[in-house]
Structure formats: structure tokens, C-alpha cells
């Protein structure tokens, strides 16, 4: 009998979440990765997911304090499926670099996500994102600096 695979779904802003997914894929076998951002409709293929995957890992980045709407929509539309399969969720954000915000219990974005999504992942993790100022547009650089100034980051 062929072993079912692990599916990783992710949404990324600057590519850090994708890099983490690729690292996970190197460690584990039989991984299939889908990017929420590419326009591939994950919701239309849920029956394929149910038949072919034993586990789902969802990873997401934060942009200006928010997750992507596609992430929330997928979870809202598939909560029963997710609750019935082994699952994990991880988040990538800048504040996770701080010792008092680098765990699922202390990270404000994890708390916000879990409250808004009404999903209870079996495993939860937090990773610090990379701030790569040279690649950002002027407005993004300005917003990051403003947020850092406001939060004394």
C-alpha cells in the first residue's frame, strides 16, 4: 500500500514562508507544496487532498499585521476536513525574533489567528521572518520603519 503524502499549503509575502516550507520538505518525505498566492484553487481540489494526503501543514506570513484572506477562507471552508486529519500550522513574522514573542503562547499573531479562524491546529509553531530592506518598495520600507518606531522595535 502506498503511503499517503503530507501537503503543505502556504501564503508568503517576501518568500520566507516558502523557504521554510522547502526546508520542511527536505527533512520529510512525500511532501507536496501549494502556494495560496499563485491562484491555484485549493478549495476546488479538497476531494483530491482528502484522498491523497495523510497530513496537512499550513504556513503563513504576516503583512501589515494581517494574514491573507485566502488562508482564512480555506480554513473556514474546510474546518471539518482539517479537524479530521493530522495537521500543523506555523506563522512567520518579524516580532517572533523577540524572546517574549517567539512561542505560540506568546506570539500575538498566533493568538489573533487562532481566535479569528476558530481552528485548533494539533501542532503550532512560530518562526522569525527576515527583514530584507533592499528588496522592499519605498512604501514598504517606510511602513516597516514606522511600525518599528511605534512599537519601539
Amino acid at each position: 500500500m502506498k503511503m499517503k503524502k503530507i501537503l503543505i499549503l502556504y501564503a508568503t509575502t517576501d518568500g520566507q514562508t516558502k523557504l521554510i516550507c522547502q526546508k520542511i520538505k527536505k527533512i520529510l518525505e512525500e511532501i507536496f507544496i501549494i502556494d495560496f498566492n499563485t491562484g491555484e484553487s485549493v478549495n476546488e481540489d479538497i476531494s483530491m487532498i482528502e484522498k491523497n494526503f495523510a497530513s496537512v501543514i499550513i504556513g503563513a506570513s504576516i503583512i501589515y499585521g494581517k494574514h491573507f484572506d485566502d488562508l482564512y477562507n480555506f480554513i473556514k471552508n474546510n474546518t471539518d476536513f482539517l479537524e479530521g486529519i493530522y495537521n500543523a500550522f506555523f506563522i512567520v513574522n518579524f516580532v517572533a525574533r523577540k524572546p517574549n514573542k517567539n512561542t505560540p503562547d506568546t506570539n500575538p499573531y498566533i493568538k489573533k489567528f487562532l481566535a479569528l479562524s476558530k481552528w485548533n491546529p494539533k501542532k503550532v509553531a512560530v518562526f522569525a521572518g527576515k527583514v530584507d530592506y533592499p528588496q522592499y518598495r519605498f512604501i514598504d520600507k517606510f511602513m516597516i520603519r514606522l511600525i518599528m518606531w511605534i512599537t519601539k522595535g
Side-chain angles (χ1 to χ4, degrees):
M1 187 171 127
K2 187 176 178 182
M3 185 176 115
K4 286 191 176 183
K5 300 173 188 169
I6 298 169
L7 174 65
I8 299 178
L9 302 169
Y10 74 94
T12 190
T13 305
D14 299 320
Q16 294 304 305
T17 307
K18 181 178 181 178
L19 291 173
I20 292 168
C21 291
Q22 291 169 337
K23 295 269 186 194
I24 292 169
K25 183 177 181 176
K26 284 182 181 179
I27 295 168
L28 302 173
E29 296 179 15
E30 297 292 317
I31 300 283
F32 187 78
I33 300 176
I34 296 177
D35 180 352
F36 280 110
N37 301 336
T38 63
E40 296 176 44
S41 178
V42 178
N43 287 316
E44 292 175 13
D45 294 330
I46 196 68
S47 63
M48 179 273 300
I49 293 170
E50 290 175 326
K51 286 187 253 176
N52 294 305
F53 297 97
S55 304
V56 174
I57 300 170
I58 298 178
S61 63
I62 296 292
I63 183 70
Y64 301 127
K66 292 178 57 179
H67 285 96
F68 293 91
D69 289 338
D70 287 347
L71 172 69
Y72 285 112
N73 292 336
F74 177 79
I75 291 168
K76 179 182 172 187
N77 294 334
N78 299 291
T79 303
D80 291 340
F81 163 71
L82 290 170
E83 295 292 338
I85 192 170
Y86 186 81
N87 63 71
F89 176 71
F90 71 88
I91 187 172
V92 180
N93 61 74
F94 299 142
V95 301
R97 74 192 188 291
K98 298 179 179 182
N100 61 339
K101 295 183 180 181
N102 64 358
T103 69
D105 294 332
T106 60
N107 188 276
Y109 295 115
I110 282 281
K111 290 178 181 183
K112 180 180 175 182
F113 170 82
L114 294 174
L116 290 175
S117 73
K118 310 261 191 283
W119 173 45
N120 295 308
K122 291 176 175 55
K123 296 284 184 184
V124 180
V126 178
F127 299 104
K130 177 182 176 184
V131 178
D132 190 4
Y133 285 109
Q135 97 171 16
Y136 297 140
R137 298 174 302 161
F138 171 79
I139 189 69
D140 294 322
K141 290 177 187 178
F142 175 79
M143 291 302 292
I144 290 169
R145 287 182 183 128
L146 178 64
I147 291 166
M148 294 293 190
W149 179 77
I150 290 170
T151 63
K152 297 177 179 32

